[in-house]
């Protein structure tokens, strides 16, 4: 890639700045960390690796990066693409081979969405591998739009106010997951991927799956942003400004013992008749 234009340079700086802010705000990476960067071959994970490699050069701390891709044995998967790209970058990498494709195809009826099961199987395998290589952090390429979409999916279909946290400890305590692109929007990531001409590997396991609820929510948010620019950003900010007393979760706020404060000053004032 040659010299960047002014707008391209701004795009690169914006992604690097936002990722750096997210890493700092949530203390995602600490001195001496070994960060396992999970690569799917999509635009998000390529951008995350690119940004983290830059941060590794400029950060005031030292940390290692190891790239990991999981070969799920999908028919026609171009096995040569990622190894060739990662060798060119000159970083440590591993290809984890696990035939989850056959498992998903066997268990999920034809025509049903496969993403949920596929994701669980992939995540479990990567968690185990991170433990095996001594990775202290596991970086995933989810961005701001993914987080907001997940928030609405959980609210609409699971009845929970829950999204994807920028930093998460696994239930067994053995892994810490980080999402360095948590502050970055998908539009910028797509533009950067096009600019860098990353060797994108499409997911052929599920095809387009046009009826996925995530796609429905994505289109809803995109429509909102067209009509009211900045709405997705505002929704994301709301996830950082939670007020438990204004919701209805009795586990987060003690509504039961809420009573008037007998010591509070009276609102009444003396009224002078004119």
């Amino acid at each position: 890639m040659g010299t960047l234009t002014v707008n391209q340079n701004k795009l690169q700086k914006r992604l690097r700045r936002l990722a750096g802010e997210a890493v700092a705000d949530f203390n995602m990476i600490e001195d001496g960390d070994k960060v396992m960067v999970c690569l799917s071959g999509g635009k998000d994970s390529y951008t995350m690796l690119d940004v983290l490699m830059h941060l590794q050069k400029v950060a005031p701390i030292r940390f290692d990066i190891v790239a990991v891709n999981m070969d799920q044995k999908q028919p026609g998967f171009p096995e040569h693409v990622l190894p060739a790209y990662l060798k060119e970058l000159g970083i440590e990498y591993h290809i984890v081979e696990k035939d989850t494709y056959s498992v998903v195809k066997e268990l999920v009826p034809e025509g049903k969405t496969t993403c949920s099961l596929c994701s669980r199987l992939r995540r479990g395998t990567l968690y185990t591998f991170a433990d095996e290589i001594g990775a202290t952090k596991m970086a995933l390429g989810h961005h701001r739009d993914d987080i907001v979409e997940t928030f609405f999916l959980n609210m609409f279909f699971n009845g929970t106010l829950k999204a994807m946290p920028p930093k998460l400890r696994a239930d067994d305590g053995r892994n810490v997951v980080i999402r360095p692109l948590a502050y970055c929007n998908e539009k910028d990531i797509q533009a950067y991927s096009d600019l860098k001409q990353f060797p994108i590997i499409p997911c052929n396991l599920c095809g387009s799956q046009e009826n996925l609820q995530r796609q429905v929510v994505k289109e809803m948010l995109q429509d909102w942003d067209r009509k009211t620019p900045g709405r997705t950003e505002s929704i994301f900010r709301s996830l950082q400004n939670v007020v438990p007393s204004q919701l209805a979760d009795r586990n987060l706020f003690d509504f039961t013992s809420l009573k008037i404060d007998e010591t509070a000053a009276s609102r009444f004032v003396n009224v002078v008749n004119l």
Side-chain angles (χ1 to χ4, degrees):
M1 187 176 66
T3 304
L4 300 181
T5 66
V6 172
N7 285 337
Q8 290 170 342
N9 189 48
K10 285 182 178 179
L11 171 65
Q12 185 177 67
K13 285 184 175 180
R14 182 162 61 248
L15 286 170
R16 290 175 172 178
R17 173 178 56 80
L18 290 172
E21 288 176 2
V23 168
D25 286 352
F26 294 92
N27 195 30
M28 292 187 190
I29 301 176
E30 300 168 86
D31 192 48
D33 267 342
K34 183 174 185 177
V35 181
M36 184 175 109
V37 180
C38 300
L39 290 181
S40 65
K43 69 182 190 311
D44 305 329
S45 58
Y46 276 125
T47 299
M48 174 178 63
L49 176 61
D50 183 275
V51 168
L52 286 178
M53 289 181 68
H54 170 73
L55 289 179
Q56 187 184 40
K57 294 176 182 176
V58 301
I61 60 172
R62 297 186 63 181
F63 63 93
D64 295 323
I65 290 176
V66 54
V68 174
N69 168 256
M70 184 173 163
D71 180 354
Q72 298 177 263
K73 296 304 175 185
Q74 299 174 32
F77 181 78
E79 298 179 358
H80 65 285
V81 172
L82 273 167
Y85 177 76
L86 295 169
K87 283 179 182 176
E88 186 177 342
L89 289 181
I91 68 169
E92 180 186 351
Y93 74 91
H94 299 275
I95 306 297
V96 180
E97 298 187 1
K98 183 86 168 181
D99 187 5
T100 59
Y101 176 86
S102 298
V103 176
V104 171
K105 283 299 185 183
E106 180 181 347
L107 296 179
V108 179
E110 192 66 32
K112 297 293 184 180
T113 58
T114 59
C115 286
S116 178
L117 176 59
C118 178
S119 177
R120 288 199 304 272
L121 293 172
R122 184 172 63 248
R123 187 166 57 244
T125 301
L126 290 172
Y127 276 3
T128 300
F129 189 72
D131 201 17
E132 289 176 2
I133 64 173
T136 52
K137 302 288 170 58
M138 205 172 121
L140 303 181
H142 298 121
H143 45 68
R144 185 200 68 186
D145 299 63
D146 286 326
I147 293 171
V148 173
E149 288 162 17
T150 301
F151 169 72
F152 280 102
L153 283 168
N154 281 317
M155 182 166 59
F156 290 164
F157 302 105
N158 297 326
T160 59
L161 286 179
K162 183 173 70 171
M164 291 174 172
K167 186 178 182 181
L168 173 72
R169 186 172 64 186
D171 291 339
D172 63 4
R174 297 293 301 173
N175 304 98
V176 173
V177 172
I178 60 174
R179 296 182 168 99
L181 300 183
Y183 289 173
C184 303
N185 68 63
E186 186 172 18
K187 185 178 179 181
D188 280 350
I189 292 171
Q190 182 64 67
Y192 192 64
S193 176
D194 294 340
L195 169 65
K196 299 285 285 187
Q197 298 182 322
F198 294 132
I200 302 298
I201 302 174
C203 176
N204 298 318
L205 176 60
C206 57
S208 61
Q209 292 197 324
E210 294 178 357
N211 294 323
L212 280 176
Q213 292 298 341
R214 179 173 289 276
Q215 185 60 35
V216 173
V217 170
K218 180 186 288 288
E219 291 171 359
M220 176 192 76
L221 290 169
Q222 289 174 344
D223 184 52
W224 282 358
D225 252 343
R226 279 192 294 270
K227 294 175 180 176
T228 311
R231 178 169 288 185
T232 299
E233 182 180 351
S234 179
I235 294 169
F236 181 77
R237 285 202 308 272
S238 75
L239 298 178
Q240 299 173 283
N241 292 281
V242 179
V243 186
S245 66
Q246 306 302 302
L247 298 174
D249 190 331
R250 289 171 293 164
N251 293 316
L252 290 181
F253 188 80
D254 184 10
F255 293 99
T256 305
S257 60
L258 199 62
K259 297 178 175 61
I260 65 169
D261 183 356
E262 299 286 354
T263 64
S266 173
R267 286 200 186 94
F268 293 111
V269 296
N270 293 322
V271 178
V272 178
N273 292 321
L274 296 178

